[in-house]
Amino acid sequence: MFIFERIVFIFEHQDHWDPAAIAALDKTVPVLTQPGEGETIRKVGFTNVTEMGENISFEGTTIFRTSGRHGTGAIGKLMGHVSGFVFKSEGEPTLYIAGDTIWCEEVRQALDKHHPDMTLVNAGGARFRQGCPIIMNEDDVVSLCRYAPYTKVATIHMEAINHCFTTRADLKDRLLAEGLEGRVLIPLDGEWF
């Protein structure tokens, strides 16, 4: 879940959508979710739920839904659909929130299509006991920076849960080694940028 101004984006994974979030949010707040998850959100009392198609307009901002891959192989299939979002508004920088995805063709396509000024990625390198990462790690962040040198990158979803193995220090060290430290923001928990 993330909140953007006066709209909430909700996904069913427990690290985004849990009983505390359900209890804390006003049930009339506009909620956008990915296809197939609207009914689950309505069942807990939310009344203004929209399943995103390709795009939607909200208070002067066009929001585009993008895709990605929440891992590879069997684990990636079990993790389900990925939604990212691109925000475009006249006279404002374009923001791309990649979501729970690894570096993949779908992310490249979103970058090519929308050419965002800022890209926000979940970069904790989360993984299970077996298999590859299910969200971006330091290698993926470097790949994104090299592929799209026009976008400033900000990393989140790090050191937040016990299966996020890419730390802020790991990422900072890697970016220094690659000469990319000026391109990536690595905020602390609760820090605004």
Side-chain angles (χ1 to χ4, degrees), residues 65-88:
R65 184 177 164 272
T66 65
S67 190
R69 295 183 197 163
H70 203 356
T72 59
I75 290 175
K77 288 178 184 169
L78 289 172
M79 295 300 290
H81 298 287
V82 171
S83 288
F85 298 94
V86 175
F87 298 82
K88 291 185 178 182

Side-chain angles (χ1 to χ4, degrees), residues 26 40 44 53 73 87 94 105 111 129 133 137 140 142 144 155 158:
D26 178 343
T40 300
V44 294
F87 298 82
T94 296
E105 182 59 28
L111 290 164
R129 290 182 184 169
N137 61 15
D140 294 332
V142 167
L144 189 153
T155 58
M158 301 178 74

Side-chain angles (χ1 to χ4, degrees), residues 2-3 10 34 54 64 70 79 83 90 105 107 109 116 126 135 144 162 169 172-173 177-178:
F2 64 91
I3 299 173
I10 296 177
Q34 59 190 13
E54 184 177 325
F64 298 86
H70 203 356
M79 295 300 290
S83 288
E90 187 69 36
E105 182 59 28
V107 172
Q109 290 172 0
I135 61 174
L144 189 153
N162 65 359
K172 185 176 181 180
D173 289 346
E178 298 284 340

Side-chain angles (χ1 to χ4, degrees), residues 124 156-164 166 168 189:
I156 61 169
H157 215 326
M158 301 178 74
E159 302 169 17
I161 48 181
N162 65 359
H163 67 285
C164 285
T166 299
R168 290 176 176 97
D189 291 343

